[in-house]
């Protein structure tokens, strides 16, 4: 990878002495995804390529996957401190600093990635989340995708009734997903996605809350045998951000290129993720994973249990002095506005 000495020097200088637009920049990008992860293929790499193209090759990227620069839970701090320029900052892995973002991870909120993604994007760029979450953490959102509704994937137990989910130990990202699982009688086990395989293999968990594409990406298709179908058990936000300090030092033409690349990737990546999920389900079926439709009676019971999760989540965040109710109302309004188009 090329390294620009001028860029390294500029990072240590005041904002007023930032690099001139003509000089080459190489930015460090880090995440926790394994090599070849579908979201790197569908979102991160196209965005980086687009920025390089829009800057006529002046901006390039050094990419560090698979937690090479630090654990998923550390990437907010590493981005804020400048160890990396652009980091994968999943709000669930920084829930103490970004609790409001979990509004996009509540159950039974939306049915497609695009519905959740576009509502989250608007709030995180210009709305409550931008003001109350990203600004206080001194980071700027560059791109994000809200994954299709999560399902329950299990190694042994088929989930087709309220009884069969009781007591199951299921991987959760915490926060909203914990509330979701507890409402149904399951036991949430908090952990980052890269750690799920080992826990399932050892039998310390019964299953995971995951989208179909992540099952394949993390090799869990070799372990799980059953998946639910027909209920939204929440979601997960995959977001890449840059620190405000690093952003301020970028030349104006680079900022413009990044902004344009970000606006272009958002509707495309969520559409691609929705399409990819359909293909992945077929592949998982071929690998021996069965998607079992939840019977109507059980579906009604589950949906009834999940009705109060959003308000419970908002009340809990409100009690911490954060604007949970305001974030929920705005997100629901943005979802409704998107559905009406």
């Amino acid at each position: 990878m090329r390294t620009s000495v001028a860029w390294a020097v500029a990072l240590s200088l005041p904002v007023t002495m930032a690099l001139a637009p003509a000089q080459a920049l190489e930015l460090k990008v880090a995440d926790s995804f394994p090599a070849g992860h579908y979201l790197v293929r569908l979102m991160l790499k196209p965005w980086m390529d687009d920025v390089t193209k829009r800057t006529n090759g002046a901006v390039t990227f050094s990419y560090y996957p698979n937690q090479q620069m630090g654990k998923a839970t550390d990437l907010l701090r590493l981005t804020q401190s400048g160890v990396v320029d652009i980091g994968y900052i999943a709000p669930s892995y920084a829930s103490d600093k970004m609790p409001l973002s979990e509004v996009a991870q509540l159950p039974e909120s939306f049915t497609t990635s695009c519905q959740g993604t576009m509502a989250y994007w608007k709030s995180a760029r210009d709305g409550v989340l931008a003001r109350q979450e990203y600004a206080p953490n001194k980071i700027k959102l560059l791109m994000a995708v809200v994954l299709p509704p999560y399902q329950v994937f299990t190694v042994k137990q088929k989930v087709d009734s309220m009884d069969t989910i009781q007591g199951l130990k299921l991987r959760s990202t915490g926060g909203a997903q914990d509330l979701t699982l507890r409402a149904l009688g399951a036991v949430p086990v908090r952990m980052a996605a890269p750690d799920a395989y080992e826990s399932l293999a050892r039998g310390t968990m019964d299953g995971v809350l995951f989208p179909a594409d992540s099952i394949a990406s993390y090799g869990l298709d070799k372990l799980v045998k059953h998946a639910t179908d027909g209920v939204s058990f929440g979601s997960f936000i995959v977001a890449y951000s840059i620190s405000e300090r690093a952003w301020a030092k970028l030349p104006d033409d680079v900022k413009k290129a990044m902004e344009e690349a970000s606006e272009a990737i958002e509707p495309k990546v969520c559409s691609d993720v929705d399409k990819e999920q359909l293909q992945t389900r077929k592949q998982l079926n071929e690998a021996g994973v069965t998607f079992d439709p939840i019977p109507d009676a059980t579906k009604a019971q589950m949906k009834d249990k999940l009705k109060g999760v959003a308000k419970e989540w908002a009340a809990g965040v409100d009690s911490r002095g954060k604007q949970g109710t305001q974030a929920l109302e705005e997100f629901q309004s943005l979802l409704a506005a998107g559905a009406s188009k």
Side-chain angles (χ1 to χ4, degrees):
M1 297 287 182
R2 293 178 296 149
T3 303
S4 170
V5 175
W7 173 238
V9 172
L11 283 177
S12 66
L13 298 177
V15 173
T16 55
M17 297 182 67
L19 288 171
Q23 291 180 284
L25 310 179
E26 184 178 22
L27 305 179
K28 291 181 179 179
V29 182
D31 61 32
S32 62
F33 294 129
H37 192 278
Y38 74 104
L39 290 175
V40 175
R41 171 170 50 85
L42 295 179
M43 180 168 67
L44 179 60
K45 189 177 186 304
W47 182 86
M48 292 190 298
D49 290 345
D50 193 17
V51 171
T52 298
K53 181 179 179 181
R54 289 175 186 272
T55 58
N56 296 316
V59 177
T60 57
F61 300 90
S62 296
Y63 172 52
Y64 299 88
N66 206 27
Q67 303 190 119
Q68 290 179 22
M69 296 294 284
K71 294 284 189 180
T73 51
D74 295 329
L75 284 172
L76 171 59
R77 176 179 56 81
L78 294 175
T79 303
Q80 291 170 323
S81 65
V83 174
V84 299
D85 298 305
I86 297 171
Y88 161 48
I89 301 173
S92 284
Y93 297 154
S95 58
D96 58 328
K97 299 289 182 65
M98 304 185 73
L100 295 177
S101 279
E102 289 200 329
V103 69
Q105 300 181 177
L106 294 166
E108 289 296 300
S109 295
F110 48 84
T111 59
T112 69
S113 172
C114 278
Q115 290 170 349
T117 296
M118 299 316 297
Y120 182 80
W121 177 250
K122 290 174 183 176
S123 181
R125 295 276 285 190
D126 303 304
V128 172
L129 297 181
R131 297 188 298 272
Q132 301 295 327
E133 199 118 287
Y134 281 86
N137 281 296
K138 299 187 184 305
I139 57 175
K140 176 181 174 62
L141 179 63
L142 292 176
M143 63 195 121
V145 62
V146 179
L147 301 184
Y150 271 37
Q151 297 300 316
V152 176
F153 290 83
T154 50
V155 176
K156 297 178 181 179
Q157 180 66 61
K158 178 180 177 181
V159 175
D160 57 2
S161 69
M162 289 299 297
D163 289 339
T164 53
I165 198 172
Q166 300 302 302
L168 288 184
K169 295 179 180 179
L170 302 174
R171 178 259 177 177
S172 163
T173 59
Q177 288 189 8
D178 282 1
L179 295 176
T180 297
L181 291 176
R182 289 192 185 109
L184 297 171
V187 179
V189 181
R190 293 189 185 188
M191 69 175 59
D195 301 323
Y197 186 96
E198 185 176 357
S199 293
L200 282 182
R202 288 182 174 182
T204 56
M205 285 196 311
D206 299 302
V208 295
L209 270 190
F210 251 21
D213 289 297
S214 292
I215 291 292
S217 294
Y218 288 100
L220 303 184
D221 52 327
K222 301 177 180 64
L223 300 174
V224 301
K225 298 299 179 185
H226 300 282
T228 57
D229 190 14
V231 172
S232 166
F233 295 97
S235 184
F236 189 79
I237 302 157
V238 174
Y240 288 86
S241 296
I242 186 171
S243 73
E244 289 182 351
R245 181 173 58 178
W247 177 258
K249 293 175 181 177
L250 293 176
D252 289 342
D253 63 332
V254 173
K255 291 179 182 177
K256 182 173 183 291
M258 286 186 174
E259 292 279 18
E260 291 174 348
S262 295
E263 291 293 342
I265 198 69
E266 284 303 301
K268 184 177 188 306
V269 65
C270 68
S271 177
D272 288 344
V273 165
D274 281 328
K275 292 174 184 175
E276 182 119 340
Q277 181 182 226
L278 299 176
Q279 182 61 35
T280 301
R281 282 175 61 115
K282 294 179 182 178
Q283 294 172 353
L284 291 177
N285 272 322
E286 293 170 358
V289 180
T290 59
F291 284 81
D292 305 305
I294 297 174
D296 289 342
T298 299
K299 189 185 301 184
Q301 287 178 302
M302 287 184 171
K303 288 178 180 287
D304 185 62
K305 293 283 187 181
L306 295 175
K307 277 182 181 178
V309 170
K311 287 187 177 180
E312 181 183 358
W313 170 84
V317 177
D318 287 344
S319 70
R320 295 164 57 183
K322 306 290 184 177
Q323 297 182 4
T325 297
Q326 185 179 354
L328 177 60
E329 290 174 351
E330 181 187 72
F331 188 71
Q332 291 176 334
S333 176
L334 288 169
L335 285 174
S340 66
K341 290 181 179 179

